[in-house]
Amino acid sequence: QVQLVESGGGLVQPGGSLRLSCAASGSITSINAMGWYRQVSGRARELVASISSGGSTNYADSVKGRFTISRDNAKNMQYLQMNSLKPEDTAVYYCNARPAIYSWGQGTQVTVSS
């Protein structure tokens, strides 16, 4: 069972940037697709970006052109570069496979506010 630990969140002003990291306790090489999800309190968790083992990426319309997902199989890491952040990006961000077959980590809080 792979365990996932997210980091890199924080408080940032609108228009700012953050880079989230996800460390996996085991190899992610065999995981076909990985993803970043986010959840606002009281709302369902949503997928914002995914990346296949071959590097193909998909993004939710709300983040397209602003977020970039990447993965480093050799380091068992996944990343989410977030630029031009908006207040509506405020959420707890999680990483997981796609579909989300592993237990959820604690996530990392991203708050976009002036």
Side-chain angles (χ1 to χ4, degrees):
Q1 175 78 347
V2 173
Q3 293 183 322
L4 303 161
V5 179
E6 304 88 352
S7 62
L11 173 64
V12 62
Q13 292 186 341
S17 298
L18 284 173
R19 187 191 193 212
L20 305 184
S21 298
C22 171
S25 62
S27 174
I28 65 170
T29 302
S30 62
I31 301 175
N32 182 39
M34 296 287 296
W36 280 98
Y37 303 74
R38 68 185 180 188
Q39 186 171 29
V40 177
S41 180
R43 296 174 61 180
R45 189 175 281 131
E46 64 170 344
L47 177 70
V48 295
S50 63
I51 183 167
S52 72
S53 56
S56 298
T57 58
N58 283 285
Y59 299 93
D61 288 343
S62 58
V63 307
K64 199 170 294 183
R66 300 187 297 120
F67 289 11
T68 302
I69 187 172
S70 60
R71 62 192 284 178
D72 186 335
N73 290 342
K75 295 182 179 179
N76 298 323
M77 296 289 293
Q78 181 183 222
Y79 306 97
L80 186 67
Q81 178 67 42
M82 306 187 296
N83 299 327
S84 302
L85 282 161
K86 304 176 181 180
E88 51 263 43
D89 295 319
T90 295
V92 179
Y93 285 72
Y94 303 86
C95 63
N96 210 312
R98 182 187 179 190
I101 60 174
Y102 300 112
S103 298
W104 294 102
Q106 292 191 334
T108 186
Q109 175 71 48
V110 172
T111 303
V112 185
S113 175
S114 55

